[in-house]
Amino acid sequence: MADSTHHTIRRAAARPRGWCCSFAGVPDSPEHRRALPASSAVGAAVPKLPPPPPLLPKSPLAPSSHHSSPSSKLAGLIDPRRILSPGRVSPIDSEGSPAVADAEGPPREQAAPFVAVREDEDGERGGERNALDLRLCLRGRDGRCVAMDLDSAVLCGSSAFFAGMVPNASASGGGGGDRRVEVDGVDNLEAFKEAVELMFEPDAMRWLARAGVSRAIAVLEVSSSIMFDRGIESCLKYIEAVPWNENEEEKLKHVFARCTFDESVCKDVLARLQQQCTSGSKDLTVQLVESITSGTNNVARKEMQSLVSGLLSKSSVYHKDLSGLNKGGLYQICCSCLSSLVELFMEDSEPVEDVDQAMTTSDSRPMIEKISKQTENLNWLFDILLNNDMAEEYVELWARQVELIRMHEQASPMFRYELSRISASVFIALGKGRIQCPSNTRCQLFHGWFRPMLTDFGWLQRCSKGLDVRILEENLGQALLTLPLHQQQSLFVEWFQCFASRGTECPNLSRAFQVWWRRSFVRSSVEVRR
């Protein structure tokens, strides 16, 4: 058997104990113990305890520098005014629950104690080192109490805080079992108790694996406060090696904000909490968007579009401001997609010179997929810009596509209606008032893309691809009403003639037409001064 000492956890009275813990009331102080008379019968009144001896004066603790006393490390976790002098019992506070139940009051439920035993290599007791020579009493802010009988050598050897708190056996005025330390005002009583338990664990990593991440984070904070170095290292080692959920990540960040750890032991955890490189997310965002727009798998591309849109949304918990979006980079990708779209329509408009080329161009399926892909990319980019209040320049960019407007008249209907899908997104945003563009930009947009919209509306109804044509009709009319009245007139007259000849193959703008007519020809009781 190896020479090293090991620990085992057992039930009370099973083996000689190294420490024990109970959630019952704090037991009587050693100097107050009194044996009952031999003549006492069952049910007889138990004599009340005499008043406690006067307490030694207490001095409040305050946070200090790295070289301050051990007890100052508990600032923020334990109320510093309630750490009492060694060997004394805390008084019963008026605002807290009593640590010891009154003799005449109802009995408190006694919890089964746990015992930690230190063994030598031969399995026998290791002499005085195994004696329970110290009682540690913990009281939480909620009034709950924990009493732990401990091996003071293990406690003091593990924690620099307790090494300065525990009195020597000679200073306690009696045997080692009379020594007593009380810590009051503990915020997380369970975590404090578990941090002490961890001092007696031979395999801390196994204990933490059973406890889980949340409890390990709580024990980490206590270990830092009581300067339990082995506990700090074990907790950080375990936490770094396992996954965290979002709540656990936030707890860990709060612990690092309150506590200071040596960089050599916490650098691996910090590497998972903080981005080490100095560059922001702007270039990465552009790189991700560009990868999606150039992707060839349609299913995967749509899934990634949904993922990135959620991350970049203003309502997302992951995106707090606009600093993570590179506006210039996104518009460069928009221009690239527009250039690809122009090239595809030019390719479709080229004459067929031989049979092989005729067979290639007659198979329109690949061309449809290519055009549809670029259309989806442009609509997706427009949604990102729109949701982040950056879409005004997109409207101007789309209004200036003179080459695409010209080729729209010559292209096949199954190709050209894809361009009107882009126009539909822009018209809907304008009609809802989500974009505030100058009047000349809106006029240029309608001058170029209103007639193609009237032509392609029937195809948009049959191949909507998620477009709500009723919303399109309503907002197309609302957007048209934002133009000057004389320009509205020319566009409404064009729509009226188209609708009269094509019916439902043309958008129904009757409501917007009535508004325009009233504003133009019905005399109002209020005259507008020029």
Side-chain angles (χ1 to χ4, degrees):
M1 184 178 295
D3 294 337
S4 60
T5 304
H6 62 280
H7 301 69
T8 58
I9 305 295
R10 308 219 177 157
R11 284 288 177 184
R15 300 188 62 90
R17 300 179 297 171
W19 65 266
C20 73
C21 162
S22 173
F23 278 100
V26 176
D28 297 338
S29 178
E31 56 263 39
H32 293 159
R33 294 194 180 108
R34 177 184 298 179
L36 291 177
S39 60
S40 297
V42 177
V46 179
K48 293 186 177 180
L49 297 176
L55 298 174
L56 295 178
K58 298 182 289 183
S59 59
L61 300 176
S64 60
S65 64
H66 178 72
H67 300 288
S68 60
S69 63
S71 53
S72 66
K73 294 291 288 184
L74 285 177
L77 181 70
I78 303 169
D79 189 343
R81 297 168 298 178
R82 302 171 69 98
I83 300 177
L84 305 184
S85 302
R88 298 294 181 179
V89 182
S90 68
I92 298 176
D93 295 333
S94 59
E95 73 276 7
S97 301
V100 182
D102 186 84
E104 296 179 355
R108 300 183 64 170
E109 182 179 353
Q110 189 75 18
F114 295 92
V115 178
V117 182
R118 296 181 62 87
E119 295 181 356
D120 292 334
E121 59 178 353
D122 57 358
E124 299 297 332
R125 284 194 303 164
E128 292 299 325
R129 284 184 54 79
N130 294 312
L132 303 180
D133 59 350
L134 176 70
R135 170 152 292 191
L136 175 63
C137 297
L138 308 175
R139 181 188 291 181
R141 291 186 182 276
D142 57 358
R144 290 193 309 139
C145 302
V146 174
M148 309 177 75
D149 291 333
L150 304 167
D151 181 349
S152 63
V154 177
L155 182 69
C156 297
S158 301
S159 167
F161 167 76
F162 284 113
M165 289 285 294
V166 175
N168 295 326
S170 58
S172 64
D178 292 337
R179 290 188 294 172
R180 180 185 181 94
V181 173
E182 183 163 340
V183 180
D184 211 350
V186 179
D187 283 334
N188 192 336
L189 192 64
E190 182 66 22
F192 204 114
K193 181 183 76 72
E194 290 179 341
V196 176
E197 288 180 11
L198 195 61
M199 299 178 187
F200 295 84
E201 285 290 336
D203 192 341
M205 293 296 291
R206 180 177 297 179
W207 186 94
L208 291 167
R210 292 195 302 265
V213 177
S214 292
R215 290 168 64 187
I217 294 172
V219 171
L220 171 64
E221 184 174 8
V222 175
S223 299
S224 174
S225 299
I226 62 176
M227 292 179 283
F228 176 25
D229 292 340
R230 186 173 69 91
I232 294 173
E233 294 176 5
S234 300
C235 289
L236 289 174
K237 182 179 179 181
Y238 166 74
I239 291 169
E240 190 279 330
V242 296
W244 319 322
N245 59 37
E246 291 188 14
N247 290 334
E248 291 164 348
E249 180 181 350
E250 289 301 315
K251 290 179 183 178
L252 193 57
K253 288 179 179 178
H254 290 156
V255 170
F256 271 82
R258 291 193 295 265
C259 304
T260 302
F261 302 101
D262 189 271
E263 184 179 359
S264 61
V265 297
C266 71
K267 61 181 181 180
D268 292 336
V269 176
L270 285 176
R272 288 181 56 182
L273 282 175
Q274 300 174 347
Q275 181 63 262
Q276 302 298 313
C277 61
T278 57
S279 61
S281 60
K282 293 184 178 182
D283 296 336
L284 179 59
T285 300
V286 173
Q287 182 180 353
L288 294 176
V289 171
E290 192 171 14
S291 298
I292 293 173
T293 57
S294 61
T296 57
N297 188 305
N298 292 333
V299 176
R301 191 176 72 254
K302 291 179 180 179
E303 185 175 349
M304 291 299 100
Q305 284 178 349
S306 177
L307 172 63
V308 173
S309 296
L311 295 177
L312 298 181
S313 173
K314 291 176 66 176
S315 61
S316 172
V317 296
Y318 301 104
H319 183 62
K320 303 302 182 184
D321 52 41
L322 301 180
S323 61
L325 279 180
N326 187 334
K327 180 179 177 180
L330 291 178
Y331 272 103
Q332 286 181 359
I333 299 176
C334 289
C335 293
S336 176
C337 292
L338 284 171
S339 298
S340 299
L341 203 55
V342 171
E343 291 176 2
L344 290 172
F345 273 88
M346 291 180 65
E347 180 182 345
D348 179 63
S349 62
E350 290 178 355
V352 179
E353 298 179 356
D354 53 46
V355 177
D356 292 337
Q357 187 176 359
M359 294 179 61
T360 304
T361 55
S362 62
D363 183 8
S364 60
R365 184 177 179 84
M367 181 64 69
I368 290 177
E369 290 181 356
K370 293 176 183 179
I371 293 176
S372 178
K373 172 187 171 182
Q374 297 303 329
T375 302
E376 290 176 357
N377 287 337
L378 286 166
N379 273 335
W380 175 57
L381 290 166
F382 177 68
D383 287 339
I384 293 176
L385 294 168
L386 183 64
N387 290 332
N388 290 278
D389 303 324
M390 299 178 176
E392 287 77 8
E393 295 179 19
Y394 187 98
V395 179
E396 183 179 354
L397 183 65
W398 184 242
R400 294 200 310 263
Q401 298 303 309
V402 179
E403 191 69 19
L404 280 176
I405 295 171
R406 183 187 63 79
M407 290 188 293
H408 177 276
E409 300 177 356
Q410 307 169 359
S412 169
M414 68 179 61
F415 295 157
R416 69 189 186 192
Y417 91 98
E418 292 284 354
L419 299 179
S420 291
R421 287 177 56 207
I422 301 175
S423 299
S425 299
V426 177
F427 286 137
I428 291 174
L430 285 172
K432 289 183 175 180
R434 298 188 62 185
I435 310 177
Q436 295 76 45
C437 294
S439 176
N440 60 340
T441 301
R442 299 195 305 273
C443 292
Q444 185 180 11
L445 177 71
F446 273 92
H447 178 75
W449 290 109
F450 183 69
R451 181 176 296 176
M453 175 61 67
L454 300 180
T455 305
D456 297 332
F457 188 77
W459 277 86
L460 291 175
Q461 290 185 100
R462 291 185 290 273
C463 306
S464 61
K465 296 184 179 181
L467 174 65
D468 191 328
V469 292
R470 297 296 168 257
I471 294 179
L472 171 60
E473 287 177 319
E474 179 183 354
N475 289 283
L476 178 61
Q478 291 295 321
L480 201 160
L481 290 172
T482 65
L483 302 180
L485 286 175
H486 71 281
Q487 294 194 14
Q488 291 183 39
Q489 178 173 340
S490 62
L491 294 172
F492 274 120
V493 169
E494 183 178 359
W495 163 80
F496 195 93
Q497 295 172 348
C498 177
F499 191 80
S501 61
R502 300 181 59 191
T504 57
E505 290 289 297
C506 185
N508 190 341
L509 305 181
S510 299
R511 293 177 61 183
F513 180 83
Q514 294 176 37
V515 173
W516 164 75
W517 183 273
R518 177 181 57 80
R519 291 175 178 174
S520 299
F521 304 111
V522 177
R523 183 176 297 277
S524 174
S525 59
V526 179
E527 294 293 336
V528 179
R529 294 183 179 182
R530 293 184 177 272

